[in-house]
């Protein structure tokens, strides 16, 4: 209040407090603030500001969140970032945008800037926060989430849907009948004819009033309280709910999916609602009573108990039309839709497989003849319950748990049969097998249409160095030949001495003997080391796949926490032509 009083004195007539502030039981302070807005530039369709505007400001007991700003009229209804017609969304991401050190002056600056942008029409309604449903999240605490991947049809008033339980906290929406072996709960999907700028209500009666565009709250000018319509959408919604509920046993809940059109066009916003068992039984009783008069399912809105609750379930809307992948502008986007072979599912391969699937690969083929022991959990992408299982089956189970859409095939061998190499986009070798390297070189030489070939490896002593060799078609030179050319260059370059060990024989102590007896030596490294190397090289490989011009060569990296510190270099392949062998001698880095 001291800051606000100082601002009021410094800008008389521009900023003023009307009346006295008050503190509620929760410890929040509420006051009425008046700003002069006559000089704000305006455009048609922008926020309709008057000469002065009044705001109800609520300042919380603690400064962890910014003040809330509301108006007590409906002139701002339907404008972007105006929540339920009255609350202004000044901070889209308060955790980054709100700094209490700037005090009330900082808040006022934010409010003035927001009003200026809104009056100029600078906010995009397409991206405004939940603009189609009043700008507020509809989610009851503790309610399960509904996953939606298919779009409801754009025409018609309603269609059938089915909810299938995946976990105690997740349901999947099907818009075609699921397999008969799967238990599915029928749910009507209703398409509204207009948005819900005031939200969708907190109980069944309130929701039905909202879909009829009747605001149950009084407003000063009644501008948006009633809309003239030639039918009541609530009658349709009640008929759909009743027809679905009457086919279910008493004591079961009734769910509903609502498609709310966006005011600027495009895909509808989806809401999921659940009427608890008691409310559903109330609907069933009304249907039975109505059927005594008519075979039609008819329920009158006035007969609905005003206390009938409605739970809003969060919707994980994964439709391509409304969701942009968070990695869409990153190198790994190149893996989307690809068929990828991963040979070797150990310290690097097990992590690479996960990253490729998370990036949207369509099909993954896993090859490894090994099984899982407890010691591998230190650095490989497996868990305690996988011990005793084969690597490919355990990893396949994990990949299928990550993505519903990926197809995973397994081979309990080092490589698949030759017939399985057709229609492969990318072949990743993480086996460090010389024999497999020879095979890949032959594949590059003899196959005209062949996949991208990539080999991953790390150093024996620390697991913090990474090497990635890439052979891009139409080059007819395989990764082993490319790797050896790169080795000649790096071994003659003192600036990259940290990587010399990748081409030199291992010395005593470089490798680890994990158990007593006839134990095959392996390399040192932790899950943090190997996951870091695999992640970095997976992104680098994605840049190769997504490049407009094919480039082949060898990448070398050192993790920041490794002994060599953060390093990275690339040795491009040197050839006389696309179909010729490698240049005899050093390549250029």
């Amino acid at each position: 209040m001291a800051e606000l009083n100082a601002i009021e004195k410094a800008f008389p007539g521009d900023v003023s407090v009307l009346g006295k502030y008050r503190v509620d039981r929760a410890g929040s302070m509420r006051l009425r603030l008046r700003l002069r807005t006559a000089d704000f530039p305006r455009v048609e369709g922008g926020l309709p500001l008057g000469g002065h505007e009044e705001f109800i400001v609520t300042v919380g007991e603690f400064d962890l969140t910014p003040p809330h700003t509301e108006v007590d009229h409906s002139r701002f209804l339907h404008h972007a970032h105006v929540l339920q017609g009255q609350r202004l969304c000044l901070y889209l991401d308060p955790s980054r945008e709100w700094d209490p050190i700037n005090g009330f002056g900082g808040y006022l600056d934010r409010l003035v800037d927001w009003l200026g942008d809104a009056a100029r029409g600078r906010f995009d309604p397409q991206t405004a926060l939940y603009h189609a449903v009043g700008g507020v999240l509809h989610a009851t605490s503790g309610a399960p989430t509904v996953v939606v991947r298919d779009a409801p049809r754009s025409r018609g008033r309603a269609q059938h849907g089915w909810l299938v339980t995946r976990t105690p906290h997740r349901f999947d929406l099907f818009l075609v009948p699921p397999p008969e072996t799967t238990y599915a709960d029928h749910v009507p999907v209703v398409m509204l004819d207009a948005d819900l700028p005031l939200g969708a209500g907190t109980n069944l009666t309130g929701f039905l009033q909202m879909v009829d565009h009747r605001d149950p709250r009084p407003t000063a000018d009644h501008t948006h309280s009633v809309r003239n319509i030639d039918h009541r959408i609530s009658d349709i919604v009640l008929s759909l709910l009743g027809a679905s509920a009457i086919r279910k046993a008493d004591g079961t809940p009734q769910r509903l999916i609502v498609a709310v059109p966006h005011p600027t066009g495009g895909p509808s916003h989806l809401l999921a609602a659940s009427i608890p068992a008691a409310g559903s039984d109330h609907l069933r009783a009304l249907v039975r009573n109505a059927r005594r008069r008519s075979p039609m399912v008819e329920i009158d809105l006035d007969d609905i108990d005003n206390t009938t609750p409605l739970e809003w379930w969060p919707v994980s809307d994964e439709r391509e039309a409304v969701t942009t992948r968070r990695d869409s502008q990153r190198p790994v986007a190149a893996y989307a839709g690809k068929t990828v072979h991963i040979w070797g599912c150990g310290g690097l391969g097990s992590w690479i497989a996960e990253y490729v699937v998370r990036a949207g690969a369509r099909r993954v083929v896993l090859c490894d003849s090994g099984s899982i022991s407890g010691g591998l959990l230190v650095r490989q992408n497996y868990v305690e319950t996988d011990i005793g299982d084969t690597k490919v089956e355990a990893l396949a189970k994990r990949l299928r748990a990550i993505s519903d859409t990926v197809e995973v095939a397994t081979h309990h061998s080092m490589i698949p049969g030759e017939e399985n190499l057709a229609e492969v986009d990318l072949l990743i070798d993480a086996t460090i097998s010389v024999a497999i390297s020879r095979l890949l070189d032959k594949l590059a030489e003899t196959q005209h249409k062949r996949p991208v070939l990539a080999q991953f490896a790390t150093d024996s002593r620390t697991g913090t160095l990474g090497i990635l060799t890439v052979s891009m078609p139409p080059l007819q030179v395989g990764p082993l030949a490319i790797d050896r050319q790169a080795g000649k260059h790096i071994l003659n370059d003192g600036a990259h001495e940290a990587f010399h060990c990748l081409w030199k024989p291992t010395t005593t102590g470089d490798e680890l003997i994990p158990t007593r007896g006839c134990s095959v030596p392996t390399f040192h490294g932790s899950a943090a080391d190997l996951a870091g190397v695999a992640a970095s090289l997976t992104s680098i490989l994605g840049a190769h796949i997504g490049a407009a011009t094919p480039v082949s060569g060898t990448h070398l990296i050192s993790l920041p926490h490794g002994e060599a510190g953060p390093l990275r270099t690339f040795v491009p392949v040197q050839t006389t032509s696309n179909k010729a062998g490698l240049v005899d001698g050093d390549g250029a880095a």
Side-chain angles (χ1 to χ4, degrees):
M1 285 305 301
E3 290 183 43
L4 185 52
N5 290 335
I7 293 170
E8 191 175 7
K9 291 179 180 178
F11 300 95
D14 291 334
V15 181
S16 58
V17 178
L18 303 180
K20 294 184 178 181
Y21 70 86
R22 62 183 180 86
V23 179
D24 60 23
R25 292 181 178 179
S28 297
M29 179 182 70
R30 289 172 63 88
L31 58 90
R32 181 175 286 270
L33 186 69
R34 190 170 190 261
L35 299 181
R36 173 179 165 79
T37 52
D39 299 329
F40 281 45
R42 296 161 169 78
V43 299
E44 184 177 355
L47 197 71
L49 295 179
H52 289 83
E53 292 291 344
E54 296 181 8
F55 306 94
I56 301 169
V57 181
T58 303
V59 183
E61 183 181 8
F62 303 104
D63 59 8
L64 298 179
T65 57
H68 289 178
T69 310
E70 296 178 297
V71 294
D72 54 5
H73 55 76
S74 57
R75 287 187 289 110
F76 295 168
L77 191 68
H78 287 290
H79 284 271
H81 296 300
V82 178
L83 314 185
Q84 293 184 301
Q86 293 185 316
R87 182 154 55 94
L88 310 188
C89 182
L90 303 186
Y91 300 87
L92 188 60
D93 186 358
S95 62
R96 291 187 300 171
E97 300 170 359
W98 163 248
D99 187 348
I101 197 67
N102 296 322
F104 205 86
Y107 158 75
L108 275 180
D109 288 341
R110 183 76 175 202
L111 174 59
V112 169
D113 289 344
W114 188 95
L115 292 171
D117 288 338
R120 292 183 181 94
R122 291 179 173 175
F123 294 142
D124 182 1
Q126 281 283 3
T127 58
L129 189 63
Y130 305 106
H131 187 43
V133 290
V136 294
L137 182 65
H138 290 69
T140 301
S141 178
T145 294
V146 176
V147 174
V148 179
R149 293 194 172 122
D150 297 325
R153 60 173 179 255
S154 57
R155 295 182 179 180
R157 177 61 70 192
Q159 69 181 102
H160 295 288
W162 292 266
L163 290 175
V164 175
T165 305
R166 283 288 296 274
T167 68
H169 49 266
R170 169 182 172 175
F171 286 77
D172 288 356
L173 176 65
F174 285 75
L175 297 178
V176 295
E180 293 183 0
T181 56
T182 302
Y183 173 75
D185 181 25
H186 179 268
V187 54
V189 181
V190 60
M191 278 67 81
L192 303 186
D193 62 353
D195 61 328
L196 300 174
L198 299 174
T202 57
N203 57 34
L204 181 57
T205 301
F207 165 67
L208 295 170
Q209 290 174 331
M210 291 297 187
V211 300
D212 278 343
H213 314 293
R214 297 187 298 174
D215 181 7
R217 299 173 300 177
T219 58
D221 54 12
H222 298 283
T223 303
H224 299 280
S225 60
V226 178
R227 179 183 299 180
N228 293 324
I229 54 177
D230 57 4
H231 61 278
R232 292 204 316 184
I233 301 176
S234 62
D235 293 337
I236 300 172
V237 175
L238 282 172
S239 293
L240 293 170
L241 285 172
S244 181
I246 199 64
R247 290 172 171 80
K248 300 171 186 175
D250 289 348
T252 57
Q254 176 60 45
R255 281 82 189 233
L256 174 70
I257 302 296
V258 185
V260 186
H262 199 283
T264 59
S268 297
H269 185 89
L270 298 182
L271 296 174
S274 177
I275 304 171
S280 299
D281 287 345
H282 172 54
L283 288 178
R284 281 184 274 267
L286 292 177
V287 171
R288 293 186 183 109
N289 289 334
R291 280 185 169 177
R292 296 170 184 169
R293 304 185 300 270
S294 168
M296 302 295 293
V297 176
E298 295 179 349
I299 304 176
D300 195 309
L301 174 59
D302 295 333
D303 292 334
I304 297 296
D305 187 341
N306 290 334
T307 64
T308 302
L310 194 67
E311 298 175 353
W312 292 111
W313 289 7
V315 175
S316 179
D317 195 338
E318 299 170 22
R319 294 175 291 165
E320 292 185 3
V322 299
T323 301
T324 301
R325 285 185 61 102
R326 288 160 172 79
D327 61 0
S328 61
Q329 299 299 315
R330 303 302 303 149
V332 294
Y335 296 108
K338 297 289 194 298
T339 295
V340 182
H341 278 221
I342 298 175
W343 297 0
C345 301
L348 289 175
S350 61
W351 297 105
I352 295 167
E354 175 164 338
Y355 301 144
V356 166
V357 168
R358 289 190 183 276
R362 180 185 65 83
R363 187 170 189 266
V364 173
V365 177
L366 305 176
C367 297
D368 198 300
S369 59
S371 57
I372 302 166
S373 61
L376 301 183
L377 305 187
V378 170
R379 69 183 185 205
Q380 298 189 18
N381 194 15
Y382 301 104
V383 297
E384 285 279 358
T385 54
D386 293 333
I387 294 175
D389 200 355
T390 62
K391 288 186 177 182
V392 291
E393 294 301 335
L395 186 56
K397 180 172 62 176
R398 177 171 179 80
L399 299 182
R400 293 179 186 123
I402 291 171
S403 170
D404 281 346
T405 59
V406 69
E407 177 188 347
V408 184
T410 60
H411 293 269
H412 300 269
S413 57
M414 297 178 68
I415 62 173
E418 186 174 348
E419 68 279 3
N420 291 293
L421 294 180
E423 299 182 359
V424 179
D425 299 304
L426 170 64
L427 196 161
I428 294 174
D429 172 29
T431 64
I432 64 166
S433 165
V434 177
I436 289 180
S437 296
R438 296 288 185 190
L439 184 151
L440 295 181
D441 274 18
K442 183 178 179 181
L443 179 66
E445 294 172 3
T446 59
Q447 284 202 8
H448 174 65
K449 294 184 66 176
R450 54 102 171 169
V452 176
L453 303 176
Q455 285 187 316
F456 287 67
T458 188
D459 68 301
S460 297
R461 198 164 66 85
T462 69
T464 61
L465 302 179
I467 178 171
L468 166 64
T469 301
V470 186
S471 174
M472 299 285 295
L475 181 70
Q476 291 183 302
V477 177
L480 178 60
I482 296 173
D483 171 85
R484 291 189 171 179
Q485 183 200 57
K488 290 180 181 180
H489 174 79
I490 294 295
L491 289 172
N492 290 324
D493 182 359
H496 294 108
E497 185 176 358
F499 299 115
H500 289 185
C501 63
L502 296 172
W503 285 275
K504 289 183 177 181
T506 57
T507 59
T508 303
D510 282 355
E511 291 185 314
L512 170 72
I513 306 297
T515 59
R516 292 197 308 170
C518 187
S519 179
V520 177
T522 186
F523 61 94
H524 297 262
S526 68
D529 298 326
L530 273 294
V533 169
S536 296
L537 295 182
T538 300
S539 288
I540 292 172
L541 176 58
H544 273 270
I545 300 170
T549 302
V551 177
S552 301
T554 299
H555 289 272
L556 301 167
I557 65 167
S558 173
L559 297 180
H561 66 275
E563 295 175 358
L567 293 173
R568 177 184 171 187
T569 190
F570 176 57
V571 183
V573 67
Q574 298 293 303
T575 62
T576 54
S577 71
N578 278 341
K579 294 187 177 181
L582 296 175
V583 171
D584 185 16
D586 295 341

